[in-house]
Amino acid sequence: VKANMVVDKAFQISEIDPRVYGSFIEHLGRAVYGGIYEPNHPTADENGFRQDVLDLVKELQVPIVRYPGGNMVSAYNWEDGVGPKEDRPKRLELAWRVIETNQVGTNEFAQWAQKANTDVMMAVNLGTRGIDAARNLLEYCNHPGGTYWSDLRKSHGFENPHNIKTWCLGNEMDGPWQVGQKTAHEYGRLAYETGKAMRLVDPDIELVTCGSSNSQMPTFPDWEAETLEHTYEIADYISLHQYYGNRSGDTANFLAKSLDMENFIQTVIATCDYIKAKKRSKKTMYLSFDEWNVWFHSNEQDKQIDPWTIAPPQLEDVYTFEDALLIGSMLNTMLRHSDRVKIACMAQLVNVIAPIMTDNGGNAWKQSIFYPYYYTSVYGRGVALHPVVDSPKYDSKDFTDVPYLDPSVVYNEEKEELVIFATNRHLKHTLEVDIDVRSFEDYEVVEHVVLENDDAKAVNTAKQENVKPHTNGESYLDGGKLVGIFPKFSWNMVRLK
Ligand code: AHR
């Protein structure tokens, strides 16, 4: 099967904000306890952080990690997680119905983030709490000293402020599952007033206002329109969350789900711009896609978990090869919108719907989805170029005109490197793509990485890595033209220099 594509230096979408390769650690399941933190683990450092996990996180070059939730933040008292560990209360954690020991909190996470070479994206509780708790937490984290909360931080052993720049005004406040769910009006007012107070504490912060919990919410996109009426001038970003699954076992339809993401992004942009016009505002609202992934494998098993246990294995999806392909396409979709999507967080990072898995006391390993995330994060830095694509298409159960070829293109001027990421959604045939790379004269193919597998349901385990890329891709240059050879049902990265 053949396709065509034009790539040109002049067709620039935008500089890619590295924070689109962000991730997320929630106090949920074994993300924190048994994931990033396990004091008795053989690789634990003096702070109890697992080095094997840190190494894998560093390999991904994750620039920002959202914390501490998620649904959990909506009933969280941040004060429980600071000060001497022996004095910290155990609490009923209502979002996931477990016991939270609070052995990790704000300071420990900031410390971990520093070790992982990443920034913290902090969420405040707008479920059970509001302006007061948020402004106190911000003062605790960012104020240099000489006030109650900043001096308390110092007394807890953290002399220097954490200087956390990006703050989420609550989490999924439209969702009926959220403790303290709000109507759009209630949320809009609360988020605005909270943001206003936070800006008074620290004018340098950036704020993320909550968008809809997913594209299927009955209140989408009214929620965005109504809440932005209140928060437009205070917020810098609006959040999007989306998870996909393949419950019906329809792979062709599953691989097309990034088209829903595309549509979701476009609708949110349109809604933001509508409010911008209404307000005669000069400001552009950016998008923070701060939860995205595949999530469905663990749904049934999670129903069996007894409540009020400590760090049970919740949301431990074991990812398949086909999941990795959709992840590649979701990343491509966001890169094609890099002019508006400035932050994105793969949800989550360790154990909980995550690219990195661990055994308590044992090994850490890479799930299938680690790979497209890794390559896109490491090599997808620079300027996103608009790929002009002419691809054959197919129809699936929920989508029409699904292009077999799903690419994104990145030009790294500094490294003089052109990188093409491409998913071939065709389940049976190789895609041979004529790629006009006219403005990249004298470039040569340095690497063609392919993630392919005959078994859509192949998974990685602690013992065996069944899904991993190879570098024997066959793309080649032919008289100044690049011929992309993308095997059936595969994800690819072609790097030229
Ligand atoms: O990431 C898992 C959960 O998904 C988060 O806690 C919540 O925000 C979303 O519904």
Side-chain angles (χ1 to χ4, degrees):
V1 178
K2 298 213 168 213
N4 295 296
M5 189 162 121
V6 183
V7 168
D8 196 306
K9 246 179 228 174
F11 302 168
Q12 303 207 343
I13 302 170
S14 163
E15 184 75 35
I16 296 162
D17 190 319
R19 293 175 302 170
V20 294
Y21 304 118
S23 191
F24 177 27
I25 289 279
E26 176 167 3
H27 279 253
L28 198 187
R30 299 191 306 121
V32 173
Y33 308 109
I36 63 168
Y37 177 81
E38 195 179 346
N40 295 326
H41 191 271
T43 72
D45 66 9
E46 69 284 5
N47 302 118
F49 299 130
R50 284 182 64 151
Q51 295 299 304
D52 55 348
V53 172
L54 266 172
D55 286 345
L56 290 172
V57 173
K58 283 193 268 188
E59 196 177 325
L60 286 168
Q61 298 186 17
V62 183
I64 193 163
V65 182
R66 188 165 168 253
Y67 177 86
N71 296 336
M72 174 271 190
V73 80
S74 294
Y76 179 53
N77 296 336
W78 69 267
E79 302 88 336
D80 292 346
V82 297
K85 286 192 178 183
E86 59 280 11
D87 297 342
R88 296 186 193 175
K90 285 198 178 76
R91 296 265 189 205
L92 292 185
E93 196 292 291
L94 300 187
W96 306 101
R97 308 197 71 229
V98 295
I99 290 181
E100 172 56 56
T101 61
N102 286 303
Q103 291 304 291
V104 170
T106 302
N107 294 318
E108 290 80 21
F109 189 73
Q111 211 167 28
W112 177 84
Q114 209 169 29
K115 294 185 183 205
N117 302 329
T118 194
D119 288 333
V120 179
M121 177 178 187
M122 186 70 87
V124 301
N125 173 356
L126 293 191
T128 60
R129 307 186 80 184
I131 305 169
D132 210 36
R135 61 135 178 178
N136 294 345
L137 173 60
L138 177 58
E139 182 183 321
Y140 182 91
C141 288
N142 284 13
H143 199 71
T147 64
Y148 178 78
W149 293 106
S150 57
D151 287 345
L152 188 65
R153 181 198 69 238
K154 289 178 182 228
S155 77
H156 292 158
F158 293 83
E159 181 62 29
N160 295 322
H162 298 311
N163 287 328
I164 297 171
K165 193 169 165 72
T166 314
W167 293 77
C168 304
L169 295 164
N171 175 71
E172 296 190 349
M173 299 307 303
D174 59 332
W177 57 86
Q178 207 68 221
V179 179
Q181 182 197 6
K182 306 276 184 289
T183 66
H185 180 80
E186 288 166 347
Y187 173 72
R189 284 288 306 132
L190 180 60
Y192 174 74
E193 291 299 337
T194 305
K196 194 171 89 183
M198 290 173 77
R199 276 262 158 73
L200 290 170
V201 175
D202 182 352
D204 294 332
I205 56 170
E206 294 191 323
L207 294 167
V208 186
T209 187
C210 280
S212 295
S213 296
N214 58 67
S215 62
Q216 310 305 317
M217 293 299 288
T219 44
F220 173 72
D222 291 339
W223 171 273
E224 279 72 3
E226 193 172 344
T227 58
L228 283 173
E229 288 276 359
H230 300 283
T231 59
Y232 198 88
E233 292 304 334
I234 202 85
D236 303 283
Y237 310 90
I238 185 162
S239 72
L240 296 83
H241 292 180
Q242 190 69 50
Y243 298 97
Y244 295 116
N246 187 9
R247 290 188 175 79
S248 59
D250 180 343
T251 298
N253 193 55
F254 176 64
L255 294 183
K257 291 194 177 186
S258 58
L259 269 62
D260 177 78
M261 185 187 214
E262 169 75 42
N263 200 32
F264 189 19
I265 291 173
Q266 279 178 10
T267 306
V268 174
I269 292 173
T271 310
C272 291
D273 292 350
Y274 162 71
I275 300 298
K276 177 181 184 176
K278 235 180 135 176
K279 289 188 172 290
R280 313 285 190 262
S281 175
K282 288 201 162 36
K283 169 178 168 181
T284 299
M285 184 65 58
Y286 292 104
L287 276 52
S288 171
F289 214 123
D290 47 41
E291 286 188 33
W292 68 272
N293 204 344
V294 169
W295 173 17
F296 75 108
H297 297 287
S298 59
N299 292 168
E300 286 310 309
Q301 114 202 4
D302 282 350
K303 292 182 190 149
Q304 317 297 324
I305 292 171
D306 290 332
W308 317 131
T309 56
I310 296 172
Q314 289 170 306
L315 281 67
E316 298 204 358
D317 275 41
V318 176
Y319 288 110
T320 62
F321 165 68
E322 67 180 8
D323 295 334
L325 261 47
L326 181 64
I327 293 306
S329 285
M330 291 175 86
L331 285 161
N332 290 340
T333 307
M334 291 190 280
L335 288 180
R336 293 194 302 262
H337 285 286
S338 51
D339 53 335
R340 295 299 287 268
V341 179
K342 297 294 179 189
I343 304 175
C345 305
M346 177 186 262
Q348 299 189 8
L349 187 54
V350 187
N351 288 332
V352 172
I353 42 174
I356 299 167
M357 289 299 286
T358 71
D359 279 335
N360 288 354
N363 290 340
W365 72 96
K366 299 169 181 174
Q367 294 233 51
S368 65
I369 61 170
F370 184 97
Y371 288 105
Y373 181 29
Y374 164 78
Y375 281 104
T376 316
S377 171
V378 172
Y379 296 102
R381 312 267 175 148
V383 174
L385 299 181
H386 174 64
V388 181
V389 178
D390 176 18
S391 164
K393 296 176 174 150
Y394 68 98
D395 292 343
S396 72
K397 189 173 137 284
D398 300 320
F399 303 93
T400 46
D401 291 332
V402 183
Y404 286 112
L405 174 63
D406 177 66
S408 67
V409 183
V410 177
Y411 171 44
N412 189 324
E413 201 170 353
E414 216 174 289
K415 286 161 69 184
E416 290 195 47
E417 201 169 87
L418 174 67
V419 188
I420 298 173
F421 302 101
T423 310
N424 176 5
R425 295 187 177 109
H426 207 302
L427 303 181
K428 297 208 172 80
H429 295 296
T430 298
L431 263 178
E432 192 181 313
V433 190
D434 273 356
I435 309 175
D436 181 343
V437 284
R438 54 206 182 187
S439 54
F440 295 94
E441 272 170 39
D442 304 329
Y443 274 53
E444 281 171 19
V445 177
V446 289
E447 188 177 34
H448 178 178
V449 177
V450 186
L451 191 63
E452 59 182 332
N453 205 296
D454 289 333
D455 180 4
K457 309 296 178 196
V459 299
N460 292 345
T461 66
K463 297 215 170 67
Q464 206 172 332
E465 191 164 59
N466 298 310
V467 185
K468 61 172 175 226
H470 66 79
T471 51
N472 302 323
E474 293 173 357
S475 296
Y476 59 93
L477 278 160
D478 179 19
K481 198 178 65 183
L482 175 66
V483 183
I485 306 288
F486 303 134
K488 67 172 186 195
F489 197 24
S490 68
W491 176 90
N492 302 261
M493 179 187 80
V494 183
R495 206 150 57 83
L496 294 90
K497 246 180 172 348

